[in-house]
Amino acid sequence: RWRRSRAVARFHVIGTAHVEHPGLFRALEAALDQIAPAQLILEMPDEAVATGEVTGQKPELLLAYHWARRRGVPVRGHVPPGF
Protein backbone atom coordinates (compact mmCIF):
# COMPACT_ATOMS: atom_id res chain seq x y z
CA ARG A 1 0.00 0.00 0.00
CA TRP A 2 1.35 3.44 -0.98
CA ARG A 3 1.59 6.06 1.75
CA ARG A 4 2.25 9.73 1.17
CA SER A 5 5.22 11.02 3.09
CA ARG A 6 4.75 14.32 4.86
CA ALA A 7 8.37 15.19 4.04
CA VAL A 8 7.55 15.52 0.34
CA ALA A 9 3.94 16.55 0.53
CA ARG A 10 4.62 19.96 -1.11
CA PHE A 11 7.22 20.79 -3.72
CA HIS A 12 7.25 24.16 -5.51
CA VAL A 13 9.34 25.13 -8.52
CA ILE A 14 9.80 28.81 -9.19
CA GLY A 15 11.20 29.87 -12.54
CA THR A 16 12.68 33.32 -12.92
CA ALA A 17 14.16 35.55 -15.60
CA HIS A 18 17.87 36.19 -15.20
CA VAL A 19 17.58 39.97 -15.13
CA GLU A 20 17.87 42.61 -12.46
CA HIS A 21 14.41 44.11 -12.28
CA PRO A 22 12.95 45.50 -9.05
CA GLY A 23 9.42 44.34 -9.93
CA LEU A 24 10.57 40.77 -10.52
CA PHE A 25 12.57 40.81 -7.29
CA ARG A 26 9.51 41.98 -5.33
CA ALA A 27 7.39 39.28 -6.98
CA LEU A 28 9.95 36.59 -6.13
CA GLU A 29 10.19 37.73 -2.53
CA ALA A 30 6.38 37.83 -2.25
CA ALA A 31 6.14 34.30 -3.68
CA LEU A 32 8.71 33.02 -1.20
CA ASP A 33 6.87 34.74 1.67
CA GLN A 34 3.58 33.17 0.57
CA ILE A 35 4.97 29.67 0.05
CA ALA A 36 7.08 29.82 3.24
CA PRO A 37 9.28 26.85 2.25
CA ALA A 38 10.79 24.58 4.89
CA GLN A 39 13.93 24.34 2.71
CA LEU A 40 15.15 26.12 -0.39
CA ILE A 41 17.14 24.43 -3.18
CA LEU A 42 18.81 26.87 -5.55
CA GLU A 43 20.42 26.38 -8.94
CA MET A 44 23.97 27.09 -7.79
CA PRO A 45 26.82 24.88 -6.58
CA ASP A 46 26.12 23.29 -3.19
CA GLU A 47 29.70 24.11 -2.13
CA ALA A 48 29.01 27.81 -2.75
CA VAL A 49 25.89 27.66 -0.60
CA ALA A 50 27.65 25.71 2.17
CA THR A 51 30.56 28.17 2.36
CA GLY A 52 28.55 31.32 1.69
CA GLU A 53 30.76 32.08 -1.34
CA VAL A 54 27.86 33.04 -3.58
CA THR A 55 29.47 36.04 -5.30
CA GLY A 56 28.89 35.96 -9.04
CA GLN A 57 25.63 34.01 -8.89
CA LYS A 58 22.56 35.24 -10.76
CA PRO A 59 20.82 38.15 -8.99
CA GLU A 60 17.50 36.40 -8.37
CA LEU A 61 19.32 33.41 -6.84
CA LEU A 62 21.20 35.77 -4.53
CA LEU A 63 17.90 37.34 -3.50
CA ALA A 64 16.42 33.92 -2.69
CA TYR A 65 19.61 32.85 -0.88
CA HIS A 66 19.63 35.95 1.34
CA TRP A 67 15.86 35.71 1.87
CA ALA A 68 16.31 32.20 3.26
CA ARG A 69 19.34 33.10 5.39
CA ARG A 70 17.49 36.03 7.02
CA ARG A 71 14.60 33.71 7.92
CA GLY A 72 16.64 30.73 9.08
CA VAL A 73 15.41 28.56 6.19
CA PRO A 74 17.94 25.84 5.25
CA VAL A 75 19.42 26.32 1.78
CA ARG A 76 21.08 23.78 -0.51
CA GLY A 77 22.50 24.16 -3.96
CA HIS A 78 22.06 21.95 -6.98
CA VAL A 79 23.49 22.25 -10.48
CA PRO A 80 21.74 20.02 -13.00
CA PRO A 81 23.99 17.83 -15.16
CA GLY A 82 25.07 19.60 -18.31
CA PHE A 83 24.99 23.13 -16.87
Coordinates of all heavy atoms in Angstrom, one line a residue:
R1 N 0.8 -1.2 0.0 CA 0.0 0.0 0.0 C 0.9 1.2 0.0 O 1.8 1.3 0.8 CB -0.9 0.0 1.2 CG -1.9 1.1 1.3 CD -2.9 0.8 2.3 NE -3.9 1.8 2.1 CZ -4.6 2.3 3.1 NH1 -4.5 1.8 4.3 NH2 -5.5 3.2 2.9
W2 N 0.6 2.2 -0.9 CA 1.4 3.4 -1.0 C 0.9 4.4 0.1 O -0.3 4.6 0.3 CB 1.1 4.0 -2.4 CG 1.9 5.2 -2.6 CD1 3.3 5.3 -2.9 CD2 1.5 6.6 -2.6 NE1 3.7 6.6 -3.1 CE2 2.6 7.4 -2.9 CE3 0.3 7.2 -2.3 CZ2 2.5 8.8 -2.9 CZ3 0.2 8.6 -2.3 CH2 1.3 9.3 -2.6
R3 N 1.9 5.1 0.7 CA 1.6 6.1 1.7 C 2.3 7.3 1.4 O 3.5 7.3 1.1 CB 2.0 5.6 3.1 CG 1.3 4.3 3.6 CD 1.9 3.7 4.8 NE 1.5 4.4 5.9 CZ 2.0 4.2 7.1 NH1 2.9 3.4 7.3 NH2 1.5 4.9 8.2
R4 N 1.6 8.4 1.5 CA 2.2 9.7 1.2 C 3.1 10.2 2.4 O 2.6 10.2 3.5 CB 1.2 10.8 0.9 CG 1.8 12.1 0.4 CD 0.7 13.0 -0.1 NE 0.2 13.8 1.0 CZ -0.5 14.9 0.8 NH1 -0.9 15.2 -0.4 NH2 -0.9 15.6 1.8
S5 N 4.3 10.5 2.1 CA 5.2 11.0 3.1 C 5.0 12.5 3.3 O 4.8 13.3 2.4 CB 6.7 10.8 2.6 OG 7.5 11.5 3.5
R6 N 4.9 12.9 4.5 CA 4.8 14.3 4.9 C 6.0 15.1 4.5 O 5.9 16.3 4.2 CB 4.5 14.5 6.3 CG 3.1 14.0 6.8 CD 2.9 14.3 8.3 NE 1.7 13.6 8.7 CZ 0.5 14.1 8.8 NH1 0.4 15.4 8.4 NH2 -0.5 13.5 9.2
A7 N 7.1 14.5 4.4 CA 8.4 15.2 4.0 C 8.3 15.7 2.6 O 9.0 16.7 2.3 CB 9.6 14.3 4.3
V8 N 7.6 15.1 1.7 CA 7.6 15.5 0.3 C 6.1 15.8 -0.1 O 5.8 15.7 -1.2 CB 8.2 14.5 -0.6 CG1 9.7 14.4 -0.4 CG2 7.5 13.1 -0.5
A9 N 5.3 16.3 0.8 CA 3.9 16.6 0.5 C 3.8 17.8 -0.4 O 2.9 17.8 -1.2 CB 3.1 16.8 1.8
R10 N 4.7 18.8 -0.3 CA 4.6 20.0 -1.1 C 6.0 20.2 -1.7 O 7.0 20.2 -1.0 CB 4.2 21.2 -0.3 CG 2.8 21.1 0.2 CD 2.3 22.4 0.8 NE 3.3 23.0 1.7 CZ 3.4 24.3 2.0 NH1 2.6 25.1 1.5 NH2 4.3 24.7 2.9
F11 N 6.0 20.5 -3.0 CA 7.2 20.8 -3.7 C 6.9 21.9 -4.7 O 6.0 21.7 -5.6 CB 7.7 19.5 -4.4 CG 9.1 19.7 -5.1 CD1 10.2 19.5 -4.4 CD2 9.1 20.1 -6.4 CE1 11.5 19.7 -5.0 CE2 10.4 20.2 -7.0 CZ 11.5 20.0 -6.3
H12 N 7.5 23.0 -4.6 CA 7.3 24.2 -5.5 C 8.5 24.4 -6.4 O 9.6 24.4 -5.9 CB 6.9 25.4 -4.7 CG 5.7 25.3 -3.8 ND1 4.5 25.5 -4.3 CD2 5.6 24.9 -2.5 CE1 3.6 25.3 -3.3 NE2 4.3 25.0 -2.2
V13 N 8.3 24.7 -7.6 CA 9.3 25.1 -8.5 C 9.0 26.5 -9.0 O 7.9 26.8 -9.5 CB 9.4 24.2 -9.7 CG1 10.5 24.7 -10.7 CG2 9.8 22.8 -9.3
I14 N 10.0 27.4 -8.8 CA 9.8 28.8 -9.2 C 10.8 29.1 -10.3 O 12.0 29.0 -10.1 CB 10.0 29.8 -8.0 CG1 9.1 29.5 -6.9 CG2 9.9 31.2 -8.5 CD1 9.3 30.3 -5.6
G15 N 10.3 29.5 -11.4 CA 11.2 29.9 -12.5 C 11.3 31.4 -12.6 O 10.3 32.1 -12.3
T16 N 12.5 31.9 -12.9 CA 12.7 33.3 -12.9 C 13.4 33.7 -14.2 O 14.1 32.9 -14.8 CB 13.5 33.8 -11.7 OG1 14.8 33.2 -11.7 CG2 12.8 33.5 -10.4
A17 N 13.4 35.0 -14.5 CA 14.2 35.6 -15.6 C 15.5 36.0 -15.0 O 15.5 36.5 -13.9 CB 13.4 36.7 -16.2
H18 N 16.6 35.8 -15.7 CA 17.9 36.2 -15.2 C 18.2 37.7 -15.5 O 19.1 38.0 -16.3 CB 19.0 35.3 -15.8 CG 18.8 33.8 -15.5 ND1 18.6 33.4 -14.2 CD2 18.8 32.7 -16.2 CE1 18.5 32.1 -14.2 NE2 18.6 31.7 -15.4
V19 N 17.4 38.5 -14.9 CA 17.6 40.0 -15.1 C 17.4 40.7 -13.8 O 16.8 40.2 -12.9 CB 16.6 40.6 -16.1 CG1 16.8 40.0 -17.5 CG2 15.1 40.4 -15.7
E20 N 18.1 41.8 -13.7 CA 17.9 42.6 -12.5 C 16.7 43.6 -12.7 O 16.9 44.5 -13.5 CB 19.2 43.4 -12.1 CG 20.3 42.4 -11.7 CD 21.5 43.2 -11.1 OE1 21.3 44.1 -10.3 OE2 22.6 42.9 -11.5
H21 N 15.6 43.3 -12.1 CA 14.4 44.1 -12.3 C 13.7 44.2 -10.9 O 13.3 43.1 -10.4 CB 13.5 43.5 -13.4 CG 12.3 44.4 -13.7 ND1 11.2 44.5 -12.9 CD2 12.2 45.3 -14.7 CE1 10.4 45.4 -13.4 NE2 10.9 45.8 -14.6
P22 N 13.6 45.4 -10.4 CA 12.9 45.5 -9.0 C 11.6 44.9 -8.9 O 11.3 44.2 -7.9 CB 12.9 47.0 -8.8 CG 13.9 47.6 -9.7 CD 14.0 46.7 -10.9
G23 N 10.7 44.9 -10.0 CA 9.4 44.3 -9.9 C 9.5 42.8 -9.8 O 8.7 42.2 -9.1
L24 N 10.4 42.2 -10.6 CA 10.6 40.8 -10.5 C 11.1 40.3 -9.2 O 10.7 39.3 -8.6 CB 11.5 40.3 -11.6 CG 10.9 40.4 -13.0 CD1 12.0 40.0 -14.1 CD2 9.7 39.5 -13.2
F25 N 12.0 41.1 -8.6 CA 12.6 40.8 -7.3 C 11.5 40.9 -6.2 O 11.4 40.0 -5.4 CB 13.7 41.8 -6.9 CG 15.0 41.5 -7.6 CD1 16.0 42.4 -7.5 CD2 15.2 40.4 -8.5 CE1 17.2 42.2 -8.2 CE2 16.4 40.2 -9.1 CZ 17.4 41.1 -9.0
R26 N 10.6 41.9 -6.3 CA 9.5 42.0 -5.3 C 8.6 40.8 -5.5 O 8.1 40.2 -4.5 CB 8.8 43.3 -5.5 CG 9.5 44.5 -4.9 CD 8.6 45.7 -4.9 NE 8.2 46.2 -6.2 CZ 8.9 47.0 -7.0 NH1 10.1 47.4 -6.6 NH2 8.4 47.3 -8.2
A27 N 8.3 40.4 -6.7 CA 7.4 39.3 -7.0 C 8.0 38.0 -6.5 O 7.3 37.2 -5.9 CB 7.1 39.2 -8.5
L28 N 9.3 37.8 -6.6 CA 9.9 36.6 -6.1 C 9.9 36.6 -4.6 O 9.6 35.5 -4.0 CB 11.4 36.5 -6.6 CG 12.2 35.4 -6.1 CD1 11.6 34.0 -6.4 CD2 13.7 35.5 -6.7
E29 N 10.2 37.7 -4.0 CA 10.2 37.7 -2.5 C 8.8 37.5 -2.0 O 8.6 36.8 -1.0 CB 10.7 39.1 -2.0 CG 11.1 39.0 -0.6 CD 12.1 40.1 -0.2 OE1 12.2 41.1 -0.9 OE2 12.7 39.9 0.8
A30 N 7.8 38.0 -2.7 CA 6.4 37.8 -2.2 C 6.0 36.4 -2.4 O 5.3 35.8 -1.5 CB 5.4 38.7 -3.1
A31 N 6.4 35.7 -3.5 CA 6.1 34.3 -3.7 C 6.8 33.5 -2.6 O 6.2 32.5 -2.0 CB 6.6 33.8 -5.1
L32 N 8.0 33.8 -2.3 CA 8.7 33.0 -1.2 C 8.0 33.2 0.1 O 7.8 32.3 0.9 CB 10.2 33.4 -1.1 CG 11.0 33.0 -2.3 CD1 12.4 33.7 -2.2 CD2 11.2 31.5 -2.3
D33 N 7.6 34.5 0.4 CA 6.9 34.7 1.7 C 5.6 33.9 1.7 O 5.2 33.4 2.8 CB 6.6 36.2 1.8 CG 7.8 37.1 2.2 OD1 8.7 36.5 2.8 OD2 7.8 38.3 1.9
Q34 N 4.9 33.9 0.6 CA 3.6 33.2 0.6 C 3.8 31.7 0.7 O 3.0 31.0 1.4 CB 2.8 33.5 -0.7 CG 1.5 32.8 -0.8 CD 0.7 33.2 -2.1 OE1 1.2 33.9 -2.9 NE2 -0.4 32.6 -2.2
I35 N 4.7 31.1 0.0 CA 5.0 29.7 0.0 C 5.5 29.3 1.4 O 5.2 28.2 1.9 CB 5.9 29.2 -1.1 CG1 5.2 29.4 -2.4 CG2 6.3 27.8 -0.9 CD1 6.1 29.3 -3.6
A36 N 6.4 30.1 2.0 CA 7.1 29.8 3.2 C 7.7 28.4 3.2 O 7.3 27.5 4.0 CB 6.1 30.0 4.4
P37 N 8.7 28.2 2.4 CA 9.3 26.8 2.2 C 10.0 26.4 3.5 O 10.6 27.3 4.2 CB 10.2 27.0 1.1 CG 10.6 28.4 1.0 CD 9.4 29.2 1.5
A38 N 10.0 25.1 3.8 CA 10.8 24.6 4.9 C 12.3 24.5 4.5 O 13.1 24.4 5.4 CB 10.2 23.2 5.3
Q39 N 12.6 24.4 3.2 CA 13.9 24.3 2.7 C 13.9 24.9 1.3 O 12.9 24.9 0.6 CB 14.4 22.9 2.6 CG 15.9 22.8 2.1 CD 16.4 21.4 2.1 OE1 15.7 20.4 2.3 NE2 17.7 21.3 1.8
L40 N 15.0 25.5 0.9 CA 15.2 26.1 -0.4 C 16.3 25.5 -1.1 O 17.4 25.3 -0.6 CB 15.4 27.6 -0.2 CG 15.1 28.5 -1.4 CD1 13.6 28.4 -1.8 CD2 15.4 30.0 -1.0
I41 N 16.1 25.0 -2.3 CA 17.1 24.4 -3.2 C 17.3 25.4 -4.4 O 16.4 25.6 -5.1 CB 16.8 23.0 -3.6 CG1 16.5 22.1 -2.4 CG2 17.9 22.4 -4.5 CD1 16.0 20.8 -2.8
L42 N 18.5 25.9 -4.5 CA 18.8 26.9 -5.5 C 19.7 26.3 -6.6 O 20.6 25.5 -6.3 CB 19.5 28.1 -4.9 CG 18.7 28.8 -3.9 CD1 19.5 29.9 -3.2 CD2 17.4 29.4 -4.5
E43 N 19.6 26.8 -7.8 CA 20.4 26.4 -8.9 C 21.8 27.1 -8.9 O 22.1 28.0 -9.6 CB 19.7 26.7 -10.3 CG 20.4 26.0 -11.4 CD 19.7 26.3 -12.7 OE1 18.5 26.7 -12.7 OE2 20.3 26.1 -13.8
M44 N 22.6 26.6 -7.9 CA 24.0 27.1 -7.8 C 24.7 26.0 -7.1 O 24.1 25.1 -6.5 CB 24.0 28.4 -7.0 CG 23.6 28.4 -5.6 SD 23.9 29.9 -4.6 CE 22.8 31.1 -5.4
P45 N 26.1 26.0 -7.2 CA 26.8 24.9 -6.6 C 26.6 24.8 -5.1 O 26.5 25.8 -4.3 CB 28.3 25.3 -6.8 CG 28.2 26.2 -8.0 CD 26.9 26.9 -7.9
D46 N 26.4 23.5 -4.6 CA 26.1 23.3 -3.2 C 27.3 23.8 -2.3 O 27.1 24.3 -1.2 CB 25.8 21.8 -2.9 CG 25.2 21.6 -1.6 OD1 24.3 22.4 -1.2 OD2 25.5 20.6 -1.0
E47 N 28.5 23.6 -2.9 CA 29.7 24.1 -2.1 C 29.6 25.6 -1.9 O 30.0 26.1 -0.8 CB 31.0 23.8 -2.9 CG 31.1 22.4 -3.4 CD 30.5 22.2 -4.7 OE1 30.9 22.8 -5.7 OE2 29.6 21.3 -4.8
A48 N 29.1 26.4 -2.9 CA 29.0 27.8 -2.8 C 28.0 28.2 -1.7 O 28.2 29.0 -0.8 CB 28.6 28.4 -4.1
V49 N 26.9 27.4 -1.6 CA 25.9 27.7 -0.6 C 26.4 27.3 0.8 O 26.3 28.1 1.7 CB 24.6 26.8 -0.9 CG1 23.6 26.9 0.2 CG2 24.0 27.3 -2.2
A50 N 27.1 26.2 0.9 CA 27.7 25.7 2.2 C 28.7 26.7 2.8 O 28.7 26.9 4.0 CB 28.3 24.3 2.0
T51 N 29.5 27.3 1.9 CA 30.6 28.2 2.4 C 30.1 29.6 2.4 O 30.8 30.5 2.9 CB 31.8 28.0 1.5 OG1 31.5 28.5 0.1 CG2 32.4 26.6 1.5
G52 N 29.0 29.9 1.8 CA 28.6 31.3 1.7 C 29.2 32.1 0.6 O 29.1 33.3 0.5
E53 N 30.0 31.4 -0.2 CA 30.8 32.1 -1.3 C 29.8 32.1 -2.6 O 30.1 31.4 -3.5 CB 32.0 31.3 -1.6 CG 33.0 31.3 -0.5 CD 33.7 32.7 -0.3 OE1 33.8 33.4 -1.2 OE2 34.0 33.0 0.9
V54 N 28.9 33.0 -2.5 CA 27.9 33.0 -3.6 C 28.1 34.2 -4.5 O 27.2 34.5 -5.4 CB 26.4 33.1 -3.0 CG1 26.1 31.8 -2.3 CG2 26.2 34.3 -2.1
T55 N 29.2 34.9 -4.4 CA 29.5 36.0 -5.3 C 29.5 35.5 -6.7 O 30.0 34.5 -7.0 CB 30.8 36.6 -4.9 OG1 30.8 37.0 -3.6 CG2 31.1 37.8 -5.8
G56 N 28.9 36.3 -7.6 CA 28.9 36.0 -9.0 C 27.7 35.1 -9.5 O 27.5 34.8 -10.6
Q57 N 26.8 34.8 -8.5 CA 25.6 34.0 -8.9 C 24.6 35.0 -9.5 O 24.7 36.2 -9.3 CB 25.1 33.3 -7.7 CG 26.0 32.3 -7.1 CD 26.3 31.1 -8.0 OE1 25.5 30.7 -8.8 NE2 27.5 30.7 -8.0
K58 N 23.6 34.4 -10.1 CA 22.6 35.2 -10.8 C 21.8 36.0 -9.7 O 21.6 35.5 -8.6 CB 21.6 34.4 -11.6 CG 22.3 33.8 -12.8 CD 21.4 32.9 -13.6 CE 22.1 32.4 -14.9 NZ 23.4 31.9 -14.8
P59 N 21.4 37.3 -10.0 CA 20.8 38.1 -9.0 C 19.6 37.6 -8.3 O 19.4 37.8 -7.1 CB 20.5 39.4 -9.7 CG 20.6 39.1 -11.2 CD 21.5 37.9 -11.3
E60 N 18.7 36.9 -9.0 CA 17.5 36.4 -8.4 C 17.8 35.2 -7.4 O 17.2 35.0 -6.4 CB 16.4 36.0 -9.4 CG 16.7 34.7 -10.2 CD 17.7 34.9 -11.3 OE1 18.2 36.0 -11.5 OE2 17.9 33.9 -12.0
L61 N 18.9 34.5 -7.7 CA 19.3 33.4 -6.8 C 19.9 34.0 -5.6 O 19.7 33.5 -4.5 CB 20.3 32.5 -7.5 CG 19.8 31.8 -8.8 CD1 20.9 30.9 -9.4 CD2 18.6 30.9 -8.4
L62 N 20.7 35.1 -5.7 CA 21.2 35.8 -4.5 C 20.1 36.3 -3.7 O 20.1 36.2 -2.4 CB 22.1 36.9 -4.9 CG 23.4 36.5 -5.6 CD1 24.2 37.7 -6.1 CD2 24.3 35.7 -4.6
L63 N 19.0 36.9 -4.3 CA 17.9 37.3 -3.5 C 17.3 36.2 -2.7 O 17.0 36.3 -1.5 CB 16.9 38.0 -4.4 CG 15.6 38.5 -3.7 CD1 15.2 39.8 -4.3 CD2 14.5 37.5 -3.7
A64 N 17.0 35.1 -3.4 CA 16.4 33.9 -2.7 C 17.3 33.4 -1.6 O 16.9 33.0 -0.5 CB 16.1 32.8 -3.7
Y65 N 18.6 33.3 -1.9 CA 19.6 32.8 -0.9 C 19.6 33.7 0.4 O 19.5 33.2 1.5 CB 21.0 32.9 -1.5 CG 22.1 32.6 -0.5 CD1 22.4 31.3 -0.1 CD2 22.9 33.6 0.0 CE1 23.5 31.1 0.8 CE2 23.9 33.4 0.9 CZ 24.2 32.1 1.3 OH 25.2 31.9 2.2
H66 N 19.6 35.0 0.2 CA 19.6 35.9 1.3 C 18.3 36.0 2.0 O 18.2 36.1 3.3 CB 20.1 37.3 0.9 CG 21.5 37.4 0.5 ND1 22.6 37.1 1.4 CD2 22.1 37.6 -0.6 CE1 23.7 37.2 0.8 NE2 23.5 37.5 -0.5
W67 N 17.2 35.8 1.3 CA 15.9 35.7 1.9 C 15.8 34.5 2.9 O 15.4 34.7 4.0 CB 14.8 35.5 0.8 CG 13.4 35.3 1.3 CD1 12.5 36.3 1.4 CD2 12.8 34.1 1.7 NE1 11.3 35.7 1.9 CE2 11.5 34.4 2.1 CE3 13.2 32.8 1.7 CZ2 10.6 33.4 2.6 CZ3 12.4 31.8 2.2 CH2 11.1 32.1 2.6
A68 N 16.3 33.4 2.4 CA 16.3 32.2 3.3 C 17.2 32.4 4.5 O 16.8 32.0 5.6 CB 16.7 31.0 2.5
R69 N 18.4 32.9 4.3 CA 19.3 33.1 5.4 C 18.8 34.0 6.5 O 18.9 33.7 7.7 CB 20.7 33.7 4.9 CG 21.4 32.8 3.9 CD 21.9 31.5 4.6 NE 22.8 31.9 5.6 CZ 24.0 31.4 5.9 NH1 24.4 30.4 5.2 NH2 24.7 31.7 6.9
R70 N 18.1 35.1 6.1 CA 17.5 36.0 7.0 C 16.4 35.4 7.8 O 16.1 35.7 9.0 CB 16.9 37.2 6.3 CG 17.9 38.2 5.8 CD 17.3 39.6 5.4 NE 16.2 39.4 4.4 CZ 16.3 39.4 3.1 NH1 17.5 39.5 2.6 NH2 15.3 39.2 2.3
R71 N 15.7 34.4 7.3 CA 14.6 33.7 7.9 C 15.0 32.4 8.6 O 14.1 31.7 9.1 CB 13.5 33.5 6.9 CG 12.8 34.8 6.6 CD 12.0 34.8 5.3 NE 11.3 36.0 5.0 CZ 11.9 37.1 4.5 NH1 13.2 37.1 4.2 NH2 11.2 38.2 4.2
G72 N 16.2 32.0 8.5 CA 16.6 30.7 9.1 C 16.2 29.5 8.3 O 16.1 28.4 8.9
V73 N 15.9 29.7 7.0 CA 15.4 28.6 6.2 C 16.6 27.9 5.6 O 17.5 28.5 5.1 CB 14.5 29.1 5.0 CG1 14.2 28.0 4.1 CG2 13.3 29.7 5.6
P74 N 16.8 26.6 5.8 CA 17.9 25.8 5.3 C 18.0 26.0 3.7 O 17.0 25.9 3.1 CB 17.7 24.4 5.6 CG 16.7 24.4 6.8 CD 15.9 25.7 6.5
V75 N 19.2 26.2 3.2 CA 19.4 26.3 1.8 C 20.4 25.3 1.3 O 21.4 25.0 2.0 CB 20.0 27.7 1.4 CG1 20.1 27.9 -0.1 CG2 19.1 28.8 2.0
R76 N 20.1 24.7 0.2 CA 21.1 23.8 -0.5 C 21.2 24.2 -1.9 O 20.3 24.9 -2.5 CB 20.6 22.3 -0.5 CG 20.5 21.7 0.9 CD 21.8 21.5 1.5 NE 22.8 20.7 0.7 CZ 23.0 19.4 0.8 NH1 22.3 18.7 1.7 NH2 23.9 18.9 0.0
G77 N 22.3 23.8 -2.6 CA 22.5 24.2 -4.0 C 22.4 22.9 -4.8 O 22.7 21.8 -4.3
H78 N 22.1 23.1 -6.0 CA 22.1 21.9 -7.0 C 22.3 22.5 -8.4 O 21.7 23.5 -8.8 CB 20.7 21.3 -7.0 CG 20.5 20.2 -8.0 ND1 21.2 19.0 -8.0 CD2 19.9 20.2 -9.2 CE1 20.9 18.3 -9.0 NE2 20.1 19.0 -9.8
V79 N 23.2 21.9 -9.1 CA 23.5 22.2 -10.5 C 23.1 21.0 -11.3 O 23.8 20.0 -11.2 CB 25.0 22.7 -10.7 CG1 25.2 23.0 -12.2 CG2 25.3 23.9 -9.8
P80 N 22.1 21.2 -12.2 CA 21.7 20.0 -13.0 C 22.9 19.6 -13.9 O 23.7 20.4 -14.3 CB 20.6 20.6 -13.8 CG 20.1 21.8 -13.1 CD 21.3 22.3 -12.4
P81 N 22.9 18.3 -14.2 CA 24.0 17.8 -15.2 C 23.9 18.6 -16.5 O 22.8 18.9 -17.0 CB 23.6 16.4 -15.3 CG 22.8 16.0 -14.2 CD 22.1 17.3 -13.8
G82 N 25.0 18.9 -17.0 CA 25.1 19.6 -18.3 C 25.1 21.1 -18.2 O 25.1 21.8 -19.2
F83 N 25.0 21.7 -17.0 CA 25.0 23.1 -16.9 C 26.3 23.6 -16.5 O 27.1 23.1 -15.8 CB 24.0 23.6 -15.8 CG 22.6 23.6 -16.4 CD1 21.8 22.5 -16.5 CD2 22.1 24.9 -16.8 CE1 20.5 22.6 -17.1 CE2 20.8 24.9 -17.4 CZ 20.0 23.8 -17.5

